[in-house]
Amino acid sequence: MLGGRVDIQIHKAGRIALVGTSAFTIPGNLRDVQTISADQAISIVSNGKRLAPIDIINVTDLAIFPRRMNGAVELRLVFVVNVNQKSMRVAERVLVDAENGSILEVRSLIHDAAQTH
């Protein structure tokens, strides 16, 4: 589950004071919706990119993505595709829906911090 977490607070006396989670009930048949392959996910992400021989696009995982829309959450099975385009200084994580091939999220893996004086 991408973005899932569990929080546990322990009282100084050693007792558990709070347990919280962002977990969702995962349908048992979620894996059955997969209709595209990892290679097809790579092709979808590669489409329209200018790739040099040093650039790498690969699938690193098949995961569950809680897609939030209009106050609701829909669980989607996704391929996690990493793009490392050294030729263009691009590094990103792309989530490709494993059912219909749509791109659900693109997140840059490059984080620049502005310098302050």
Side-chain angles (χ1 to χ4, degrees):
M1 174 75 67
L2 297 174
R5 64 175 224 243
V6 174
D7 298 310
I8 301 173
Q9 292 183 5
I10 299 176
H11 188 274
K12 64 181 176 180
R15 295 184 307 271
I16 294 176
L18 173 76
V19 175
T21 180
S22 64
F24 300 96
T25 302
I26 300 171
N29 65 343
L30 187 63
R31 182 93 189 224
D32 297 340
V33 303
Q34 180 183 343
T35 60
I36 70 166
S37 68
D39 288 338
Q40 287 171 310
I42 290 171
S43 179
I44 290 165
V45 172
S46 300
N47 189 26
K49 290 191 179 290
R50 292 184 179 163
L51 299 173
I54 61 171
D55 298 337
I56 299 170
I57 298 179
N58 60 358
V59 170
T60 59
D61 210 351
L62 184 63
I64 299 168
F65 175 61
R67 184 177 185 193
R68 291 168 171 80
M69 292 182 60
N70 303 322
V73 175
E74 177 186 20
L75 299 182
R76 301 300 300 172
L77 188 65
V78 296
F79 284 104
V80 179
V81 182
N82 281 340
V83 176
N84 187 356
Q85 281 184 275
K86 292 179 182 182
S87 65
M88 300 184 74
R89 197 175 182 271
V90 172
E92 57 193 12
R93 180 187 82 170
V94 182
L95 302 182
V96 179
D97 191 301
E99 182 177 6
N100 59 32
S102 63
I103 294 176
L104 300 179
E105 180 180 90
V106 178
R107 179 173 294 181
S108 177
L109 300 176
I110 297 174
H111 305 285
D112 293 325
Q115 292 183 347
T116 57
H117 297 288

